[in-house]
């Protein structure tokens, strides 16, 4: 059941359909993305570019997609396109918008979170340093990612005509890379460009030519190939001093022709004479990857007589003087999976600053900042780990609703131990956790980093940064008791749940309140404290009994309700549970000490409650409700499925 309010007050996310191609390129035009030299180069071949993009969009997101984020009532739109550049990595490109930073911020988070959940090993993007807006956005973001998970390199782009290159120099040995050459290629790339670059480009893969990936593209009349050569001193042929990595792709996938780039990697310790010899020899070899092909119906169509060559900045002067050619600079940025969470946090922080300056912070999820969550405390993650029994939760609440290959979202995931157990039980399932606390999100990331298709993100659960119809199971445990507007949370859960799939909510009823024999003064003090928590923090000790009503009113189908005893302490509370309650009250009560009359009064209330639990003649109990329901409807045919 789709939330009708979304069309008015929220950003909508979707993947572009084939017929959205004119909309995408119209936005490119409006945002001045087509600067004169770029459009001059591709204008004669726009029919081929359009065909390739339409073919790409027809892959249902498996190889190529464009993400569209919109605020329809304000006519605000942002788009981002991505395509699979190697088996392990996706290239993100062509970020455009009509001046709506809140939409852009949400879109970037949405794309990154889904990419990580789907097991993406790494992401890449290219941008011109001269583009001040993009440079201001991405440069600080990458500085916040650990060095061992990021790569940033400034490269110079030249159009090189191979006919101007002298014949290969006899003192340079060139070998075309085959499977036996892969270790040397990988080691040389690590030496010169670093491990992040070599891993993201998948240069240790035996399929160095990307034959398997190319076969996937060919099914849609597209192509993706790679050709590699190593250069060495002919006297020491086993010690590479240069490499050429030539990529071939369907024309116009990247409107700057980066899908067809040839990267030259040259040992920077070489003298000028040897560098020239290596460069000339590698370009002559790479020429074989760029045969002139004027058959516009072919996936291999390449009508240019030049090669788009990228080199590091220390070679720029030589290229510029020798070829008398202008050049452009690009920043090539890569982030590995282990840096995804830091990427997301940095994007959120960056856009929060943008929105604060614009006076519109309310329009974007405030990443990393608690919005009144009463249990926000550095000790909370450890308390939750000690309290929860992940195997029991997964067995009783999740296994019957989640199959291998499906995607699960856990709202209020805390330290991620439940998702960790899901991955142990269903290794092929993809899991995503969302929690408003950055510290607990980082703790969850620590628990999940050993697993593929598993991640946690900091997000406001009332305004999730995920596309509609994205998850096969949406789960929330002990979340609703702390939510001031639980119906809004349920609306978001329904929005991101796929039609016909399941929502499961588990929460308490009677927590802190059900005891015998009664202690009138204690009950009054607890009742007053809970009333304060309810008014100022949204705490509801009776939310469990309301879950069926919420689901029924939201239009869910096949609703199932299972009540069970949760807390049950006949007589003196067990020591393990005593420590748990001691810590829980130590977190809560200081935050409402002003209402209670000061810290001493808060400590006194805590002491009285704990003493009651330690009595041999008392009974304390509460109930937990587990309620599940299915989202009605069928997935729209023709829509591109993010999975």
């Amino acid at each position: 059941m789709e939330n009708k309010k979304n069309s008015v007050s929220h950003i909508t996310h979707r993947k572009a359909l084939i017929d959205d191609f004119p909309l995408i390129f119209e936005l490119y035009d409006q945002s001045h993305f087509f600067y004169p030299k770029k459009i001059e180069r591709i204008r004669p071949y726009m029919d081929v570019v359009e065909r390739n993009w339409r073919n790409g969009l027809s892959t249902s997101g498996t190889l190529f997609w464009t993400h569209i984020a919109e605020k329809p009532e304000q006519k605000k739109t942002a788009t981002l396109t991505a395509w699979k550049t190697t088996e392990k990595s996706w290239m993100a490109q062509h970020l455009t918008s009509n001046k709506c930073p809140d939409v852009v911020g949400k879109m970037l988070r949405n794309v990154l979170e889904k990419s990580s959940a789907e097991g993406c090993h790494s992401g890449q993007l290219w941008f011109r340093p001269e583009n001040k807006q993009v440079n201001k956005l991405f440069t600080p973001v990458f500085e916040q990612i650990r060095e061992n998970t990021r790569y940033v390199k400034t490269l110079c782009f030249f159009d090189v005509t191979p006919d101007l290159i002298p014949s290969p120099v006899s003192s340079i040995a060139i070998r075309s890379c085959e499977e036996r050459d892969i270790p040397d290629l990988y080691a040389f790339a690590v030496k010169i460009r670093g491990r992040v670059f070599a891993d993201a480009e998948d240069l240790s893969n035996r399929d160095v030519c990307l034959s398997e990936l190319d076969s996937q593209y060919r099914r849609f009349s597209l192509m993706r190939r790679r050709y590699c050569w190593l250069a060495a001193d002919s006297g020491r042929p086993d010690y590479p001093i240069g490499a050429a990595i030539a990529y071939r792709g369907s024309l116009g996938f990247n409107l700057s022709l980066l899908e067809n780039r040839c990267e030259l990697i040259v040992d920077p310790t070489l003298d000028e004479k040897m560098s020239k010899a290596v460069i000339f020899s590698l370009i002559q070899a790479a020429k074989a990857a760029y045969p002139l092909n004027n058959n516009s119906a072919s996936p291999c169509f390449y009508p240019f007589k030049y090669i788009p060559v990228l080199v590091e900045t220390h070679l720029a002067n030589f290229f510029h003087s020798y070829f008398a050619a202008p050049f452009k600079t690009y920043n090539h940025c890569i982030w590995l999976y282990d840096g995804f969470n830091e990427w997301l946090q940095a994007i959120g922080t960056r856009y929060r600053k943008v929105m604060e300056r614009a006076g519109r912070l309310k329009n974007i999820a405030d990443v990393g900042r608690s919005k009144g969550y009463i249990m926000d405390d550095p000790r909370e993650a450890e308390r939750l780990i000690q309290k929860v029994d992940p195997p029991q939760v997964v067995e009783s609440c999740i296994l019957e609703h989640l199959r291998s290959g499906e995607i699960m979202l856990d709202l209020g995931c805390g330290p991620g131990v439940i998702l960790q157990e899901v991955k142990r039980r269903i290794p092929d399932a993809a899991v995503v956790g969302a929690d408003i606390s950055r510290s607990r999100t980082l703790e969850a990331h620590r628990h999940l980093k050993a697993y593929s298709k598993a991640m946690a993100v900091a997000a406001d659960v009332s305004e999730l940064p995920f596309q509609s119809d994205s998850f096969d199971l949406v789960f929330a445990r002990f979340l609703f008791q702390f939510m001031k507007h639980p119906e809004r949370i349920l609306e978001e859960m329904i929005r991101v749940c796929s039609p016909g799939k399941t929502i499961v909510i588990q929460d308490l009823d009677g927590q802190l309140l059900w005891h015998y024999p009664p202690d009138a003064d204690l009950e009054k003090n607890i009742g007053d404290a809970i009333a304060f928590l309810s008014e100022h923090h949204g705490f509801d000790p009776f939310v469990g009994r309301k879950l069926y009503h919420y689901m029924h009113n939201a239009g869910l189908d096949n609703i199932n309700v299972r009540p069970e005893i949760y807390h049950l302490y006949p007589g003196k509370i067990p020591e393990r549970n005593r420590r748990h309650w001691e810590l829980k009250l130590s977190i809560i009560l200081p935050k409402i000490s002003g209402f209670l009359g000061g810290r001493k009064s808060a400590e006194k209330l805590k002491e009285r409650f704990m003493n009651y639990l330690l009595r041999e003649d008392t009974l304390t109990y509460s109930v937990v409700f587990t309620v599940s329901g299915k989202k009605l409807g069928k997935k729209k045919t023709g829509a591109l499925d993010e999975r």
Side-chain angles (χ1 to χ4, degrees):
M1 176 177 159
E2 202 69 42
N3 177 20
K4 294 181 180 179
K5 295 179 182 179
N6 281 345
S7 62
V8 176
S9 58
H10 296 284
I11 298 166
T12 63
H13 298 270
R14 65 185 178 90
K15 277 192 175 174
L17 305 176
I18 295 173
D19 290 341
D20 284 316
F21 176 84
L23 168 67
I24 297 166
F25 273 65
E26 180 182 353
L27 186 60
Y28 288 171
D29 192 41
Q30 291 174 356
S31 58
H32 307 293
F33 181 77
F34 291 127
Y35 54 84
K37 288 185 179 179
K38 178 181 290 188
I39 196 64
E40 180 183 345
R41 186 201 300 255
I42 66 170
R43 181 183 286 117
Y45 314 108
M46 277 304 296
D47 57 337
V48 176
V49 173
E50 178 174 351
R51 184 194 67 216
N52 288 338
W53 274 59
R54 288 182 180 274
N55 288 345
L57 292 171
S58 73
T59 68
S60 299
T62 58
L63 298 171
F64 180 103
W65 47 260
T66 294
H67 187 101
I68 299 176
E70 299 171 297
K71 274 191 171 180
E73 77 289 350
Q74 297 179 15
K75 297 183 179 179
K76 298 295 186 183
T77 305
T79 70
L80 181 72
T81 295
W83 49 276
K84 202 169 187 180
T85 179
T86 70
E87 284 287 358
K88 287 188 173 182
S89 195
W90 285 78
M91 180 189 287
Q93 62 182 28
H94 303 346
L95 170 62
T96 58
S97 73
N98 51 6
K99 297 181 180 180
C100 46
D102 53 332
V103 180
V104 173
K106 280 292 190 65
M107 178 184 66
L108 288 174
R109 287 171 47 79
N110 187 297
V111 169
L112 287 164
E113 287 160 356
K114 289 300 292 180
S115 298
S116 181
E118 292 167 5
C120 181
H121 175 274
S122 60
Q124 305 189 31
L125 61 85
W126 298 74
F127 65 87
R128 299 283 305 278
E130 297 86 352
N131 187 329
K132 294 181 180 180
Q133 183 177 358
V134 176
N135 199 25
K136 280 184 178 180
L137 168 62
F138 288 118
T139 299
V141 166
F142 274 91
E143 289 174 351
Q144 295 182 52
I145 303 174
R146 287 166 293 154
E147 288 190 9
N148 63 345
T149 63
R150 65 173 165 89
Y151 163 91
V152 180
K153 178 71 71 174
T154 299
L155 299 174
C156 299
F157 183 116
F158 291 87
D159 293 336
V160 174
T161 304
D163 292 344
L164 300 179
I165 300 292
S167 300
V169 181
S170 60
S171 62
I172 302 299
I174 298 292
R175 51 180 158 135
S176 176
C177 290
E178 299 178 3
E179 186 174 334
R180 66 177 179 271
D181 303 302
I182 291 171
D184 287 345
L185 174 65
Y186 179 76
F188 182 70
V190 170
K191 175 185 174 183
I192 306 300
R193 293 283 184 89
R195 190 172 301 278
V196 173
F197 169 82
D199 286 347
E201 295 293 352
D202 207 10
L203 294 177
S204 61
N205 190 340
R206 290 187 303 172
D207 184 14
V208 69
C209 293
L210 305 180
S211 301
E212 176 56 35
L213 183 61
D214 184 52
S215 69
Q216 297 174 40
Y217 273 102
R218 296 280 179 165
R219 297 187 193 115
F220 300 92
S221 299
L222 300 167
M223 72 169 295
R224 186 64 180 161
R225 293 284 287 178
R226 180 171 64 191
Y227 305 89
C228 303
W229 294 267
L230 284 171
D233 188 320
S234 57
R236 304 181 68 195
D238 294 330
Y239 296 91
I241 55 177
I245 304 175
Y247 287 95
R248 292 302 319 279
S250 298
L251 187 73
F253 254 33
N254 177 277
L255 297 172
S256 297
L257 299 188
L258 290 172
E259 81 284 349
N260 280 295
R261 73 189 185 277
C262 177
E263 292 196 44
L264 295 188
I265 306 175
V266 180
D267 190 331
T269 65
L270 299 180
D271 60 31
E272 183 177 349
K273 181 179 179 181
M274 183 62 80
S275 291
K276 284 183 181 180
V278 169
I279 290 168
F280 291 156
S281 298
L282 286 172
I283 291 177
Q284 284 290 356
K287 182 169 65 171
Y290 297 89
L292 190 65
N293 185 331
N294 288 314
N295 179 9
S296 62
S298 169
C300 306
F301 175 66
Y302 189 79
F304 307 112
K305 294 182 179 180
Y306 53 79
I307 301 173
V309 173
L310 286 106
V311 297
E312 294 185 35
T313 53
H314 70 276
L315 298 173
N317 287 337
F318 163 70
F319 268 77
H320 183 58
S321 61
Y322 186 86
F323 296 102
F327 65 92
K328 298 174 288 187
T329 55
Y330 283 92
N331 283 347
H332 184 197
C333 305
I334 298 173
W335 60 101
L336 297 183
Y337 174 82
D338 285 346
F340 267 44
N341 206 54
E342 294 163 38
W343 218 112
L344 285 164
Q345 299 292 348
I347 283 289
T349 300
R350 181 63 186 161
Y351 269 95
R352 180 183 171 191
K353 291 178 180 178
V354 171
M355 297 306 297
E356 283 174 337
R357 287 198 298 269
R360 292 155 57 195
L361 180 59
K362 62 185 179 182
N363 290 326
I364 189 167
D366 189 3
V367 178
R369 186 178 75 175
S370 170
K371 296 192 176 183
Y373 176 47
I374 192 63
M375 297 302 294
D376 202 14
D377 186 277
R379 299 166 289 176
E380 176 67 355
E382 186 59 32
R383 186 188 76 85
L384 292 172
I385 292 172
Q386 294 174 2
K387 172 189 173 186
V388 71
D389 181 358
Q392 187 275 329
V393 173
V394 172
E395 183 73 36
S396 64
C397 299
I398 293 171
L399 288 185
E400 67 175 295
H401 305 296
L402 187 68
R403 297 191 299 272
S404 178
E406 293 188 328
I407 304 178
M408 170 187 171
L409 172 64
D410 182 4
L411 295 188
C413 67
V417 291
I418 292 175
L419 293 177
Q420 185 182 43
E421 181 64 21
V422 171
K423 289 299 296 182
R424 288 173 181 158
R425 300 291 294 271
I426 316 176
D428 290 335
V431 299
V432 180
D435 198 290
I436 199 167
S437 166
R438 180 177 182 181
S439 62
R440 283 190 298 279
T441 302
L442 293 174
E443 184 71 15
H445 181 68
R446 184 177 68 82
H447 282 105
L448 296 173
K449 67 180 181 180
Y451 302 94
S452 63
K453 299 184 180 181
M455 71 170 299
V457 298
D460 179 355
V461 295
S462 68
E463 194 173 354
L464 293 169
F466 303 120
Q467 185 171 348
S468 300
D469 303 341
S470 294
F471 298 95
D472 300 292
L473 172 63
V474 183
F475 177 69
R477 183 175 189 267
F478 296 176
L479 172 70
F480 274 45
Q481 61 184 303
F482 296 110
M483 297 293 105
K484 199 163 189 176
H485 302 290
E487 297 97 329
R488 170 69 191 128
I489 311 302
L490 180 56
E491 287 175 351
E492 277 292 271
M493 294 175 76
I494 293 171
R495 182 182 68 79
V496 301
C497 182
S498 293
K501 297 300 182 177
T502 305
I503 292 165
V504 177
I505 305 172
Q506 187 176 70
D507 228 312
L508 294 171
D509 201 282
Q511 183 180 198
L512 293 170
L513 292 175
W514 291 346
H515 317 277
Y516 193 86
D519 181 323
D521 289 340
L522 180 61
E523 288 184 358
K524 181 181 185 306
N525 289 337
I526 291 176
D528 289 344
I530 286 177
F532 178 85
L533 290 171
S534 177
E535 179 179 355
H536 295 278
H537 296 277
F539 178 66
D540 184 352
F542 300 116
V543 75
R545 69 185 65 179
K546 302 173 184 178
L547 298 177
Y548 171 83
H549 177 76
Y550 294 154
M551 285 195 177
H552 178 272
N553 285 356
L556 290 177
D557 191 27
N558 196 25
I559 302 173
N560 180 267
V561 180
R562 188 178 74 238
E564 300 168 277
I565 290 293
Y566 186 71
H567 298 112
L568 181 60
Y569 309 135
K572 182 178 178 180
I573 187 172
E575 178 60 21
R576 181 176 181 273
N577 299 103
R578 185 198 68 77
R579 291 196 302 269
H580 164 74
W581 276 102
E582 185 89 27
L583 179 56
K584 186 170 186 176
L585 293 174
S586 295
I587 292 172
I588 293 177
L589 291 177
K591 297 180 180 180
I592 61 171
S593 59
F595 166 77
L596 294 172
R599 182 170 291 274
K600 287 186 178 179
S601 297
E603 286 295 327
K604 185 177 180 180
L605 176 57
K606 171 187 167 185
E607 182 180 356
R608 288 190 62 191
F609 183 76
M610 294 308 301
N611 286 338
Y612 185 91
L613 294 178
L614 290 170
R615 285 170 50 179
E616 294 287 358
D617 66 328
T618 63
L619 182 140
T620 298
Y621 68 101
S622 67
V623 175
V624 62
F625 282 86
T626 306
V627 185
S628 63
K630 290 189 177 295
K631 178 177 176 178
L632 292 170
K634 297 180 179 180
K635 207 158 197 174
K636 297 177 182 178
T637 58
L640 296 187
D641 185 352
E642 280 204 282
R643 289 168 291 147

